[in-house]
Amino acid sequence: MHEINLLIPGPTPLPPTVLQAMNRPMTNHRGPLFGRIMAETLAGLHDVFITRNDIIPLVCSGTGGLEASIVNFLSAGDRVLSVNNGHFCERYAEIAERYGARVDRVSAEWGRHVPPAAIADRLGADVKREYRAVLVTQSETSTGVHNDVATVRAVLGDHPALLMVDAISSLGAIPLRTDDWRVDVVITGSQKALMSPPGMAFLSVSDRAWAAAERSTTPRYYFDLRRGRTEVHAPIPSTPFTSAITVGYAVHEALRLIREEGLEHVFGRHRRMARMVRAGVRGMGLEMVVEEAHAVLTHARERYGVLFGRGIGRLQPTVVRIGHLGYTQPEMLLSGLEVLGGTLRDLGHPVSAEAGLAAARRELHHVHDDDLTADVARRRGVR
Ligand SMILES: Cc1ncc(COP(=O)(O)O)c(C=O)c1O
């Protein structure tokens, strides 16, 4: 049995100290010990969300966080605009529809960007300013497309719709400047770039969104974020219902690691991983992955112990996803790329695996302008 090399886009590998933190015994989730952990966790989350807005922890996976944003800030009949180019954007839109929202989609083909002009057109056509929210998925995990939240904010201008962002696979991997970009609601989960097991979601909520929560007529109980707000501001912060204590220990330690490394360095590391994987795959001469993605996934897992992500929805037959979030190390990805090449060879689709690996290694050591600190960049005349 090989040691498993977990290269799926969540859950992600856990750092050793996070695993150790999870060994702590249970405690009272309303007691001072967990209260201290929760207070430090919230402080760390404020840094990663880059916000002073309230952050509300929930015990659920990311999708629960998406549902919480819909039931708290929208009512049946509300008009909503969904920036829509993949599986997870569509899920967010569907949750809104399930609760009675009237959702317009401004769409692009999966894998492509939605042109900002198309979003501007839809908003411009909303002369009565009826849209109550614009939904964006920052990293569309089904295709790897990065939707540009700052641009959506710029296009929104002074339109009063809430800007609500699914950042489940992006928060802590790519910048989301919640306050600078005036993002009203940001949702993330514990099991991606936060380097923790699945089980908790976190939402940041602006004052405008809190005002919408008072107006919303949608029934809610477990996901009533106002209860969470009371708990995070209590002298001993907690969650309204029993916390996922072990996941809480993990997130607390993971945030310590992120602070130690420095958030901008964490972003830089993720940029490097992304470039490296892309260079490796292109270097192998792979444009589109083979027709038999399922065979590739099974062979890589059974023969080499490497877990790649499967394609989602209609992309399932043709796509293999290579996760590179959180604690994923360059060596894990190099070994994953080698296994991808070996698997394709074993299955009778030889590719230039060596060329791919060489390209990935080159990319790993290449310093791009956006990797430089502001100081060094200025000295080199880079803006
Ligand atoms: C962008 C995005 N949204 C939503 C989800 C769903 O999150 P969960 O599986 O934690 O409910 C995921 C999970 O992969 C995701 O990547």
Side-chain angles (χ1 to χ4, degrees):
M1 183 61 190
H2 297 267
E3 200 176 311
I4 295 295
N5 184 0
L6 183 67
L7 295 180
I8 62 175
T12 59
L14 302 185
T17 59
V18 169
L19 283 166
Q20 279 159 20
M22 289 164 59
N23 267 336
R24 288 192 203 135
M26 280 302 104
T27 185
N28 176 6
H29 64 286
R30 305 211 177 283
L33 172 66
F34 196 69
R36 180 181 61 75
I37 287 191
M38 187 58 93
E40 290 174 4
T41 299
L42 290 169
L45 286 168
H46 277 103
D47 291 346
V48 179
F49 278 73
I50 319 182
T51 189
R52 297 163 71 98
N53 288 340
D54 284 330
I55 292 182
I56 311 298
L58 290 173
V59 176
C60 59
S61 81
T63 306
L66 298 179
E67 182 150 339
S69 72
I70 299 296
V71 300
N72 280 273
F73 308 123
L74 295 174
S75 304
D78 280 357
R79 291 193 63 198
V80 169
L81 185 63
S82 157
V83 177
N84 202 296
N85 56 354
H87 174 82
F88 290 105
C89 314
E90 182 50 30
R91 175 182 297 181
Y92 202 6
E94 278 175 16
I95 298 171
E97 281 176 336
R98 202 62 63 87
Y99 283 96
R102 291 178 293 154
V103 179
D104 291 340
R105 291 164 175 74
V106 51
S107 304
E109 245 180 79
W110 284 27
R112 307 241 171 253
H113 288 102
V114 178
I119 306 172
D121 280 354
R122 291 299 188 92
L123 291 167
D126 179 27
V127 282
K128 292 200 207 141
R129 302 203 150 195
E130 287 179 334
Y131 284 132
R132 294 273 183 241
V134 175
L135 312 183
V136 184
T137 298
Q138 190 184 23
S139 163
E140 178 38 80
T141 325
S142 61
T143 60
V145 168
H146 172 183
N147 290 312
D148 183 346
V149 175
T151 296
V152 176
R153 161 45 70 199
V155 167
L156 253 172
D158 65 357
H159 191 294
L162 297 177
L163 178 54
M164 311 218 296
V165 174
D166 170 347
I168 291 171
S169 65
S170 57
L171 196 96
I174 50 180
L176 205 175
R177 306 197 187 280
T178 303
D179 286 358
D180 285 358
W181 302 345
R182 288 180 289 131
V183 185
D184 294 288
V185 181
V186 176
I187 303 107
T188 200
S190 51
Q191 79 276 23
K192 311 260 187 196
L194 293 183
M195 305 188 289
S196 298
M200 289 190 83
F202 304 98
L203 287 92
S204 76
V205 181
S206 72
D207 290 343
R208 275 170 15 102
W210 282 129
E214 296 305 328
R215 288 192 301 269
S216 163
T217 55
T218 311
R220 60 208 117 134
Y221 188 92
Y222 186 76
F223 283 147
D224 190 337
L225 293 173
R226 293 168 299 181
R227 302 177 78 131
R229 180 177 53 185
T230 305
E231 293 297 336
V232 296
H233 290 296
I236 297 181
S238 187
T239 48
F241 312 102
T242 309
S243 265
I245 293 173
T246 309
V247 183
Y249 291 153
V251 176
H252 176 256
E253 171 59 15
L255 288 165
R256 193 191 63 75
L257 292 174
I258 290 174
R259 188 174 324 115
E260 193 174 83
E261 184 175 353
L263 189 58
E264 296 300 326
H265 286 109
V266 172
F267 295 151
R269 183 163 53 72
H270 280 88
R271 271 198 305 274
R272 212 158 49 245
M273 301 286 161
R275 286 184 187 128
M276 192 181 121
V277 170
R278 282 166 202 173
V281 170
R282 283 200 196 104
M284 284 185 203
L286 284 175
E287 285 287 323
M288 184 74 187
V289 182
V290 288
E291 296 288 310
E292 307 154 31
H294 177 72
V296 173
L297 295 175
T298 308
H299 191 81
R301 186 182 68 236
E302 293 184 353
R303 171 91 173 75
Y304 298 107
V306 172
L307 262 59
F308 293 120
R310 65 179 172 77
I312 292 187
R314 69 180 93 121
L315 299 182
Q316 197 162 337
T318 51
V319 164
V320 171
R321 294 181 306 152
I322 303 177
H324 40 80
L325 278 164
Y327 190 63
T328 310
Q329 305 295 309
E331 303 74 41
M332 297 162 70
L333 289 166
L334 288 171
S335 138
L337 288 167
E338 198 174 347
V339 163
L340 180 62
T343 299
L344 291 168
R345 183 197 56 225
D346 296 350
L347 296 177
H349 301 282
V351 290
S352 329
E354 274 313 313
L357 277 168
R361 285 203 194 90
R362 264 197 311 279
E363 199 47 65
L364 177 63
H365 299 296
H366 185 89
V367 179
H368 289 260
D369 292 342
D370 54 3
D371 293 332
L372 303 175
T373 61
D375 257 11
V376 176
R378 241 194 323 277
R379 264 183 270 130
R380 289 207 191 167
V382 176
R383 273 158 196 268

